[in-house]
Amino acid sequence: MKFEILVPGGSIRFPPYVMAPYCTVALLSDGERLVLVEPGGFPSWEALERALKERGIKPQDVTDLVVSHVHMDHIFCSIFFANATVHVHERYREKNYAAFGPMSGPFYSMVLESWKKVQTLKDGDVLFDCVRVFHTPYHSSEHISLLIETENMGKILMPGDICYSRIEYFEYMKGYKKDAAGEFITKMSKECDWIVFSHDVPMKVGGG
């Protein structure tokens, strides 16, 4: 499948009151499927709408959504893709989202209730013959990372929020941070050509 980044991720911060992270949104396409890997958060919905319009894609054309984990900066824009099947790790069902808070609880419930078709994932699953799923519960219990074999960019690692930026990646590579997430990133970075960070621009790491 062809891989494109529609919206690079980042974060808007105005301490101590406002923090508005937004994740990288990517598109996988093969002529039959239009797959958004991470539909993204509220701050980036206009950028996503613009990117889809530029490609002649309507929200109803999107067939699948793949989410690394159920945090609002990754899932909010899923509400716009009513025809899509949402692919998410099976442990997402273990949480009581309504109890998150008097405002955040209803917010999460609204988004999750918009998911009409859900396919749960587990470690080792392969989606669309090219996306390998790794359960990496170091950021949240349902968190997954993805290794994607693409037609145009070789192998791409999308580690989600267990390694969300170049700075965190280099901290792992230099041994400043040593934990299970770091072991996974160190190993997988040797198997890929690119790392697409959730809250930073992508980085080429392989020689392909």
Side-chain angles (χ1 to χ4, degrees):
M1 299 179 84
K2 182 181 177 182
F3 182 92
E4 298 178 81
I5 292 177
L6 301 184
V7 182
S11 184
I12 302 168
R13 296 174 184 267
F14 297 96
Y17 299 110
V18 175
M19 183 179 70
Y22 54 96
C23 76
T24 295
V25 183
L27 175 69
L28 280 172
S29 58
D30 63 0
E32 294 184 8
R33 290 182 180 271
L34 291 171
V35 182
L36 289 186
V37 185
E38 307 276 49
F42 182 81
S44 58
W45 72 266
E46 288 183 289
L48 175 57
E49 181 179 54
R50 184 165 57 250
L52 293 174
K53 281 184 176 179
E54 289 170 354
R55 291 159 177 80
I57 299 172
K58 299 176 182 178
Q60 58 265 33
D61 298 333
V62 173
T63 59
D64 300 88
L65 305 174
V66 182
V67 299
S68 63
H69 61 294
V70 183
H71 285 172
M72 202 56 73
D73 55 319
H74 291 253
I75 67 167
F76 171 75
C77 287
S78 65
I79 66 174
F80 302 117
F81 305 100
N83 293 338
T85 298
V86 180
H87 302 266
V88 60
H89 192 271
E90 59 190 359
R91 292 197 66 178
Y92 96 99
R93 287 180 169 155
E94 298 175 3
K95 294 182 178 180
N96 180 10
Y97 298 94
F100 277 14
M103 295 172 68
S104 58
F107 195 20
Y108 272 91
S109 295
M110 176 196 72
V111 174
L112 293 172
E113 287 167 6
S114 75
W115 294 0
K116 304 307 179 187
K117 293 179 286 184
V118 177
Q119 178 179 323
T120 57
L121 303 170
K122 60 183 183 301
D123 187 66
D125 282 351
V126 177
L127 293 171
F128 323 122
D129 297 322
C130 66
V131 180
R132 186 176 172 191
V133 175
F134 296 86
H135 184 212
T136 49
Y138 316 123
H139 177 73
S140 63
S141 62
E142 78 283 0
H143 190 286
I144 60 172
S145 300
L146 306 171
L147 184 64
I148 308 171
E149 295 194 29
T150 73
E151 297 175 3
N152 57 320
M153 291 179 62
K155 290 185 178 181
I156 295 173
L157 176 65
M158 295 189 73
D161 279 5
I162 68 165
C163 184
Y164 58 85
S165 70
R166 291 182 175 215
I167 291 176
E168 191 169 33
Y169 173 77
F170 287 122
E171 287 178 341
Y172 282 135
M173 292 303 102
K174 293 179 180 181
Y176 299 151
K177 294 176 67 175
K178 296 181 180 180
D179 54 23
E183 292 177 7
F184 175 81
I185 295 299
T186 301
K187 175 180 181 296
M188 296 304 297
S189 64
K190 298 175 183 177
E191 300 183 21
C192 65
D193 300 293
W194 290 85
I195 297 181
V196 173
F197 299 104
S198 57
H199 296 285
D200 202 348
V201 293
M203 183 175 69
K204 186 167 180 142
V205 294

